[in-house]
Amino acid sequence: MYPVMLEVDGRACLVVGGGGVALRKVQGLVEEGARVTVVAPDVVVPLREMSQRGAIEVKNRAYELGDAEGYALVFAATDQERVNRQVFEDATSRGIWVNVADDPKLCSFQLPGRVRRGPLQIAIGSAGRAPFAVRRLRQLLERRLGTEWGEWFEAAARYRKAVLGSGKERPSRERSYDLFFSNTVDRNKLTARVPSRTEESDWIGSEAVDHRMPSRDLAMARQDDCVTGHDRGFVSLIGAGPGCAGLLTVRGRERMLRANAVVYDRLAAAALPPDLDPRVELHCVGKNAGNHPVPQGEINSLLVRLAREGMRVARLKGGDPYVFGRGGEEAEVLQAEGVPFEVVPGVTSGIAAAAWAGIPVTHRREAVRVTLVTAHEALKSDGPQVRWDLHAQDPHATLVGYMGVTALPSVVKKLVEGGMDPSMPAAMVEQGTTSAQRSVVATLESLPQAVTDAGLRPPALFVIGPTVGHVEKLDWVRHRPLSGLRLLVPAAASQLIAAAEEAGADVLPVPMPVTPAARIVMAALPAHGCLVRDRADVDWLDEERDTVQWYDKVMMWCLTSEAAVRARGNGWEAVELPAEASCEEVVAWIASSLEDEASGGAEQR
Ligand code: SAH
């Protein structure tokens, strides 16, 4: 099959058949200016009306041998195979291009799937071998390519004219086109923007360029090198934050979006940007159920190898890379191997998980020192030991213990023996800042039992000190209407995402089509359900059903009845939200459906 785009303006085309399929062919042809004749004993109303308006000619009779003569293109769309075949043979014998709807054997040309944005057209074909694949690809591009591409294309055409009119030589013209493209197209997200006239004339006027680009555009242009790689390789040691994706730093996110490879720990998986380019290599080096973690030595060699291959590597670690994260060791190896690197600090869990549990780690007059300690060492007899006895003597301090679940009883014993008040407020926070956060608050001496009773498990940390006494008043997290709820929402629904997040939900914006990074994020923490807008959203999420870690009861909150019908049909438990609801109403509706659940005792968040 050889692809062409035909100029049919003013050309005579024949459509045999008068039903819905024929109508669509006729409309497509008329839009492009073709002179269309329809032959059919009977035609649907819109065709009749078009013929009355003089937009087409209709011959109300059956197809006769020789009818094809003189037409540039012939289409058959009748429900009678015999007639379709007759049209095909008649046209073919006269050397006329012919297409029979839904019958690739009877086609001398195929109609491609078409995505159209103004004058820009993308045609997709499979030589009739997998129409379903063409259809889905077309839908995918329909969703991915925003309407701005039409305007962008008009701007591109205008820009080309201006460049041609500038009298530049060929190489310099190409340079101007490059500037237009790299400054207006985001290659990863497949979005485009229309530049201002000033920008356009700047680009046309500039020879040596980069210093003229505004910083936003520079960021976009830099993405070019992430595709081709960077000669020397580079490693960013990035702190992913404590678990809530929004607590990743702006720089950390930016580094990952520009990386060629991301090497991540299990605790950091939830912070991977779901919109990460699918071409980025993803290396998981963390422990996950049943698997041992990759030994540190292998992680070090992996980082060095990737960098030596010229890649930009984003090494993503939970919390802050230098706080009990062995980031220092990795940095030393990179330094010794001559690999350039940087550190992008992160929000450490000791401070953030405490805040999420309602504990400020310092407070005027109450706590004037914060200590971040690894409690794990308390269980070992070799190596450096923590001076628990010194902490025990300091009542105006907060002690935050990482890796502290197993060690807690022995830590508490040492603190009490060292003279700490056994009634000092103390807390343990599990999976802080995530939708799965759980915490218990007790006194120092009763904390180990409270932790056992609640069944708290790692990753968790303890906080001991007078400021823990503020939790009652400062427990801001639990009071938000959607707190503890993890929701999958199509990434394009940005306003809904913002509203649900503001209401305390942990929202995972799922790009459609779903990226490999999004799949990892989906599997990182259990979700309660999805918020969908239409049938297509349901279909996308359906395909990911097994990727996601779900809680026992999964809900699909649907913004349209079409989506609800589809969801139920596919076996989801679906709630239909009121039509035309504002974002705030949607949030309130979800919150009330959760209350119904909880009062029914079906699920406790
Ligand atoms: N570099 C990380 C800490 C890595 S050590 C940071 O700065 O946060 C791993 C320990 O961190 C866990 O055993 C747990 O004690 C603590 N931790 C990490 N994430 C946590 C979270 N979301 N909630 C509570 N504790 C967490």
Side-chain angles (χ1 to χ4, degrees), residues 241-243 267 317-325 346-350 353 401-404 429-434 458-462:
L267 277 183
K317 303 168 78 67
D320 178 274
Y322 277 0
V323 178
F324 308 127
V347 177
T348 190
S349 57
Y402 292 64
M403 295 168 276
V429 190
E430 176 193 308
Q431 302 220 51
T433 77
T434 73
L461 47 81
F462 60 73

Side-chain angles (χ1 to χ4, degrees), residues 21-211:
V21 181
L23 171 65
R24 280 200 296 281
K25 304 260 143 78
V26 171
Q27 284 168 331
L29 288 164
V30 168
E31 259 172 44
E32 298 302 328
R35 287 188 292 117
V36 180
T37 304
V38 174
V39 171
D42 214 1
V43 299
V44 291
V45 174
L47 282 174
R48 188 162 351 116
E49 284 170 357
M50 286 172 90
S51 122
Q52 281 159 359
R53 282 204 311 273
I56 58 171
E57 183 190 358
V58 172
K59 293 182 179 164
N60 277 117
R61 59 166 173 76
Y63 183 82
E64 291 166 9
L65 206 64
D67 271 353
E69 188 61 50
Y71 289 98
L73 294 175
V74 172
F75 297 82
T78 79
D79 49 10
Q80 295 174 37
E81 216 200 315
R82 189 185 50 78
V83 178
N84 288 344
R85 178 168 297 279
Q86 183 191 13
V87 175
F88 172 74
E89 283 165 3
D90 194 24
T92 312
S93 70
R94 289 164 209 275
I96 294 169
W97 295 103
V98 56
N99 172 285
V100 174
D102 294 330
D103 196 343
K105 290 187 303 305
L106 299 185
C107 286
S108 58
F109 69 95
Q110 300 281 345
L111 293 178
R114 211 156 53 133
V115 181
R116 196 168 187 164
R117 297 291 178 268
L120 172 70
Q121 293 204 55
I122 299 173
I124 313 161
S126 71
R129 294 181 53 201
F132 85 89
V134 170
R135 234 173 6 251
R136 280 164 181 70
L137 262 176
R138 195 188 67 74
Q139 283 165 358
L140 185 156
L141 288 173
E142 273 296 354
R143 299 176 143 263
R144 283 295 292 273
L145 295 175
T147 47
E148 82 274 13
W149 280 95
E151 289 163 54
W152 175 86
F153 199 83
E154 296 286 8
R158 193 180 60 223
Y159 183 76
R160 172 174 175 265
K161 232 173 160 172
V163 171
L164 289 177
S166 70
K168 289 181 164 209
E169 295 300 319
R170 179 84 195 247
S172 136
R173 289 207 301 265
E174 286 302 320
R175 181 80 190 126
S176 303
Y177 296 146
D178 283 346
L179 278 174
F180 181 93
F181 198 86
S182 62
N183 281 296
T184 55
V185 175
D186 183 327
R187 298 169 187 223
N188 291 335
K189 297 204 181 81
L190 275 189
T191 51
R193 69 181 182 92
V194 175
S196 68
R197 301 282 175 140
T198 330
E199 281 177 293
E200 288 184 14
S201 46
D202 268 3
W203 298 332
I204 296 173
S206 87
E207 290 302 329
V209 250
D210 283 0
H211 65 278

Side-chain angles (χ1 to χ4, degrees), residues 323-324 349-351 353-354 361 370-376 386 388 391 398-408 411 415 427-429 447 459-465:
V323 178
F324 308 127
S349 57
I351 291 171
V361 289
V370 186
T371 303
L372 306 184
V373 68
T374 161
H376 200 56
V386 179
W388 302 103
H391 287 291
T398 307
L399 185 59
V400 180
Y402 292 64
M403 295 168 276
V405 181
T406 338
L408 184 67
V411 168
L415 288 172
M428 175 77 87
V429 190
L447 187 65
L461 47 81
F462 60 73
V463 189
I464 299 169

Side-chain angles (χ1 to χ4, degrees), residues 412 416 419-426 442-447 464-466 468-469:
V412 168
V416 174
M420 189 178 265
D421 178 358
S423 64
M424 178 69 87
T443 59
L444 175 65
E445 64 181 345
S446 61
L447 187 65
I464 299 169
V468 177

Side-chain angles (χ1 to χ4, degrees), residues 365-369 394-398 424 466:
R365 296 185 187 279
E366 278 180 28
V368 290
R369 176 161 73 91
D394 191 350
H396 294 292
T398 307
M424 178 69 87

